[in-house]
Amino acid sequence: MERKKCKSSYYDCKIKNLKHVKPRNWWSAVKKISGMDAITKSDLRSNLQIDDLDNLSDIEVANKINGKFLEPLQEFQPLQITVPNNDSISNVLTVSELDVWNCLNSLNPWKSGGPDNIPSWVLKEYAMILSLPVMKIIK
């Protein structure tokens, strides 16, 4: 019972007023409650666990940090990719002008354009003219 009273009084004293303060102050209070101290720029180097940190330059510290990030990648082996010759590629990947026209003609003109910033309505409106050049690009 005493524990509930303590929680209630703590809420009334500390937390209740945080609803009406700046978010920065609220987060500061949350960090204090949880036992986290705000890390300042000067404290950042002290949190690193690097041997002989005081004698290293900023570039050397950055290289050591990058090396630690790259250590897990040393376990992986590169993939062995075999590239098929041109004859087998041309047999597998075939796109006709009609296929391109059907795709362009089925675009929704009200949707936004892609990364090329060409509006969909332009592609749909001029699908007949664009289908041959697009087919040549794809091949």
Side-chain angles (χ1 to χ4, degrees):
M1 193 66 166
E2 187 67 30
R3 183 175 53 90
K4 288 185 178 182
K5 286 180 186 177
C6 288
K7 280 186 174 183
S8 175
S9 66
Y10 181 80
Y11 176 81
D12 289 337
C13 294
K14 298 281 185 178
I15 309 298
K16 189 175 184 180
N17 297 329
L18 291 177
K19 291 181 178 180
H20 307 290
V21 298
K22 294 180 183 176
R24 179 178 183 179
N25 296 344
W26 185 83
W27 276 112
S28 176
V30 169
K31 287 180 181 180
K32 286 179 186 175
I33 291 170
S34 66
M36 295 173 35
D37 291 330
I39 297 174
T40 61
K41 290 183 180 180
S42 62
D43 291 336
L44 187 59
R45 283 182 76 107
S46 65
N47 289 330
L48 297 175
Q49 297 175 355
I50 298 175
D51 296 333
D52 207 19
L53 179 67
D54 297 331
N55 298 332
L56 298 175
S57 69
D58 290 341
I59 294 173
E60 291 171 329
V61 171
N63 287 336
K64 286 202 177 256
I65 292 170
N66 287 339
K68 288 295 182 184
F69 280 124
L70 293 175
E71 274 181 15
L73 296 176
Q74 302 303 321
E75 297 175 17
F76 298 108
Q77 297 295 324
L79 295 174
Q80 300 297 326
I81 299 174
T82 57
V83 179
N85 58 19
N86 289 339
D87 296 333
S88 63
I89 291 175
S90 63
N91 292 338
V92 174
L93 303 174
T94 56
V95 177
S96 70
E97 187 176 352
L98 182 62
D99 293 333
V100 174
W101 180 81
N102 284 332
C103 288
L104 291 175
N105 201 36
S106 66
L107 291 174
N108 184 348
W110 302 108
K111 294 277 185 166
S112 63
D116 54 7
N117 290 327
I118 299 173
S120 298
W121 69 267
V122 171
L123 296 173
K124 182 174 180 148
E125 185 74 26
Y126 298 103
M128 186 62 84
I129 298 168
L130 294 172
S131 59
L132 180 63
V134 171
M135 183 203 63
K136 296 277 185 181
I137 291 170
I138 292 173
K139 276 191 170 183

